[in-house]
Amino acid sequence: MSKEFNCSIKRIRFDENYQPADSTRLTTNFANLARGEHCEENLRKTLRMINNRFNALAHWDNLTADRYSVEVDIISVDMDIEGNGHTFPIIETLQTTIVDHKDNKRIDGMIGNSFSSYVRDYDFSVVLPEHRDKNLASITPDNFGELHGKLFQYLLNSEAYNANFHKKPVICLSVSTSKTYYRTANQHPVLGVEYRQDDYSLTDDYFHKMGLTVRYFMPENSAAPLAFYFSGDLLGDYTDLELISAISTMETFQKIYRPEIYNANSRAGEVYQPSLKYQDYSLTQIVYDRAERSQMAVTQGKFTEEQFIKPYQAILEEWAASYDLKSEAAQRAAAKEKAIRQQAA
């Protein structure tokens, strides 16, 4: 088995009293909403939008559209590279819990949803611009995103992840403004109409190195398709309510962050080209600083370079060169089976 990195998982409730942790990327959607004089109002309205959208999609046995509410936890993963207690925040994502007020029970929602990563900031805001300044003929540097992808897959196979979550994450993001999407005849009862594209975006390729496949669906009464990144079977591995929790949560954030696409006054057509220059859209009553978000990405990328990449570069390069996902997963499964047999004995 390759070198072990220690992963630790923390959670913070995303509610009207939410305050970002010190390790949270300031460009993250939910952190952006929680600053300034309007923060509590922002958070209340955001949660109300999530709940309303959830009930609209989960409409069966829900005549008054108030059967469900959604709780959102921010999941933060810290990684200790040297085993000396010094950690770096690797990934931050969301987990939803569905509260069924009719049957008085709590139901697991989706793990994943949003995706926040300092190393991704480093790749896109430091590595990529520097490479393009020096190599006009090459779009991306060799091995672009490979370290990040292996760290992500290592996390999913870690004891910490599997002790806390029973399914693999589904990440739900905006479609790319540089690509064209085509409506297909395929329609899912929850995810809606499927779209396809012939040329994957840089983000699609980056997530592929994380072991994730992408499909694009436009749910009922949505303005545009969403990009769903997953491993396994998106349509078979998750319940309708899990899928709805992802849609309602992430479509809400996208309406706030990218209203030109997701709060547009007309729906995507048979052939769809997303654009942030589109003028016919409605604004939510939620304050969001999009300019700050883009400016901070470079700052956070530089922070990652100084605090994570440079201090641990030799260790990370050696680990990444020897890391074998299949071997790692097989050895962990064997160790788990051995522990179960020992307990039974």
Side-chain angles (χ1 to χ4, degrees), residues 277-295:
K277 297 179 181 179
Y278 187 66
Q279 297 297 313
D280 186 18
Y281 64 91
S282 299
L283 288 172
T284 64
Q285 296 179 343
I286 296 171
V287 179
Y288 188 96
D289 192 337
R290 191 158 67 182
E292 180 195 51
R293 186 183 193 276
S294 60
Q295 294 164 2

Side-chain angles (χ1 to χ4, degrees), residues 121-139:
D121 278 342
Y122 167 71
D123 281 337
F124 278 89
S125 299
V126 177
V127 174
L128 194 58
E130 290 180 355
H131 172 79
R132 289 179 173 174
D133 285 344
K134 300 174 183 177
N135 301 272
L136 297 179
S138 174
I139 297 176

Side-chain angles (χ1 to χ4, degrees), residues 43-282:
L43 296 171
R44 279 196 298 269
K45 289 179 178 178
T46 300
L47 293 167
R48 190 179 306 122
M49 286 176 65
I50 292 172
N51 289 336
N52 289 343
R53 184 61 169 135
F54 189 99
N55 281 289
L57 289 169
H59 51 76
W60 58 93
D61 292 337
N62 188 11
L63 294 178
T64 55
D66 60 359
R67 175 173 177 172
Y68 302 101
S69 59
V70 179
E71 295 177 353
V72 181
D73 285 326
I74 299 165
I75 306 299
S76 302
V77 181
D78 292 340
M79 186 172 284
D80 183 345
I81 298 297
E82 295 181 313
N84 59 9
H86 295 290
T87 63
F88 186 83
I90 290 293
I91 286 168
E92 202 163 49
T93 187
L94 300 177
Q95 182 183 29
T96 58
T97 300
I98 304 152
V99 181
D100 183 342
H101 299 285
K102 178 175 179 287
D103 291 343
N104 193 27
K105 63 180 181 181
R106 298 168 62 81
I107 305 165
D108 287 342
M110 190 68 75
I111 173 65
N113 303 288
S114 178
F115 182 77
S116 173
S117 166
Y118 276 110
V119 178
R120 186 184 177 202
D121 278 342
Y122 167 71
D123 281 337
F124 278 89
S125 299
V126 177
V127 174
L128 194 58
E130 290 180 355
H131 172 79
R132 289 179 173 174
D133 285 344
K134 300 174 183 177
N135 301 272
L136 297 179
S138 174
I139 297 176
T140 60
D142 293 338
N143 304 322
F144 181 70
E146 288 191 7
L147 171 63
H148 181 269
K150 289 181 177 182
L151 288 171
F152 179 79
Q153 293 184 66
Y154 179 87
L155 166 65
L156 296 194
N157 284 284
S158 70
E159 293 181 5
Y161 182 90
N162 288 285
N164 283 274
F165 312 108
H166 304 299
K167 294 188 179 182
K168 299 300 184 183
V170 173
I171 310 299
C172 181
L173 303 181
S174 169
V175 287
S176 172
T177 56
S178 66
K179 304 300 176 184
T180 301
Y181 299 83
Y182 303 88
R183 186 181 297 178
T184 72
N186 189 39
Q187 184 163 354
H188 184 270
V190 168
L191 293 170
V193 177
E194 184 165 19
Y195 278 71
R196 65 170 177 82
Q197 60 150 307
D198 296 328
D199 182 22
Y200 287 132
S201 69
L202 185 57
T203 296
D204 295 339
D205 289 335
Y206 194 81
F207 275 75
H208 180 71
K209 292 181 179 180
M210 295 161 57
L212 303 180
T213 302
V214 64
R215 292 177 74 172
Y216 314 96
F217 286 92
M218 185 167 73
E220 182 181 6
N221 294 325
S222 294
L226 292 158
F228 295 86
Y229 297 90
F230 60 95
S231 59
D233 182 0
L234 177 65
L235 307 188
D237 292 345
Y238 305 92
T239 67
D240 286 350
L241 292 182
E242 285 175 316
L243 294 173
I244 291 173
S245 72
I247 295 167
S248 59
T249 301
M250 295 314 299
E251 190 179 76
T252 294
F253 283 126
Q254 295 298 348
K255 283 183 176 181
I256 298 167
Y257 172 47
R258 289 191 162 184
E260 299 93 336
I261 297 175
Y262 289 97
N263 218 29
N265 293 326
S266 58
R267 302 182 70 212
E270 297 283 339
V271 178
Y272 179 59
Q273 170 68 64
S275 174
L276 294 176
K277 297 179 181 179
Y278 187 66
Q279 297 297 313
D280 186 18
Y281 64 91
S282 299

